[in-house]
Amino acid sequence: MKKHIQTNKVLDLYSGVGTIGLSVAGNKDLTLVEVDKSAYQELENNAKNFKNATPVLDKSENALNYIEPDQTVILDPPRAGCDDKLIQKLLEVKPEKIIYLSCNPATQARDIKKLLETYKIDDTKIFNFFPRTPHIENLIVLSL
């Protein structure tokens, strides 16, 4: 995933405790958005060692003003996928790259279909983080 981040700004939506954004953004300007208060407290703690990381306590659907054209957006939504307001904002603002990791290929396919109005798929990869279960994680990298 890190090789796909070529912008100086990164926005990690649905960031949880920051595992993805903090591990792949390096020294880029990183904004991490998380709504769960417990996860956010851990996110704040984890982000202390990264001078360019800014944690935000909010729903990703409410943090639309953080989306900018010259950035990479990381999405790792819950099984329900992304809120339609978020997808519409991505299509309006057109960030350079979108990295979409999902635990539900059906809702990811629904969201990607909408994003393909503007974006093209650069890369895909399936991960089996939970062996001997039916659960997978699917990564799709999109660019303008």
Side-chain angles (χ1 to χ4, degrees), residues 94-113:
K94 298 179 178 87
E96 286 184 35
K97 287 237 185 219
I98 299 174
I99 298 173
Y100 192 142
L101 183 66
S102 177
C103 61
N104 185 341
T107 57
Q108 184 185 39
R110 177 201 67 205
D111 296 343
I112 293 294
K113 181 178 179 184

Side-chain angles (χ1 to χ4, degrees), residues 81-131:
C82 295
D83 184 273
D84 201 47
K85 290 188 312 185
L86 173 57
I87 298 292
Q88 292 307 313
K89 187 68 171 187
L90 291 168
L91 289 169
E92 175 188 319
V93 176
K94 298 179 178 87
E96 286 184 35
K97 287 237 185 219
I98 299 174
I99 298 173
Y100 192 142
L101 183 66
S102 177
C103 61
N104 185 341
T107 57
Q108 184 185 39
R110 177 201 67 205
D111 296 343
I112 293 294
K113 181 178 179 184
K114 295 171 190 173
L115 292 168
L116 287 177
E117 294 173 18
T118 303
Y119 290 87
K120 66 179 178 66
I121 296 174
D122 282 345
D123 199 4
T124 62
K125 187 163 183 145
I126 297 173
F127 298 94
N128 185 5
F129 293 136
F130 310 104

Side-chain angles (χ1 to χ4, degrees), residues 19-30:
T19 306
I20 296 172
L22 293 171
S23 64
V24 300
N27 61 355
K28 315 264 186 201
D29 287 333
L30 173 64

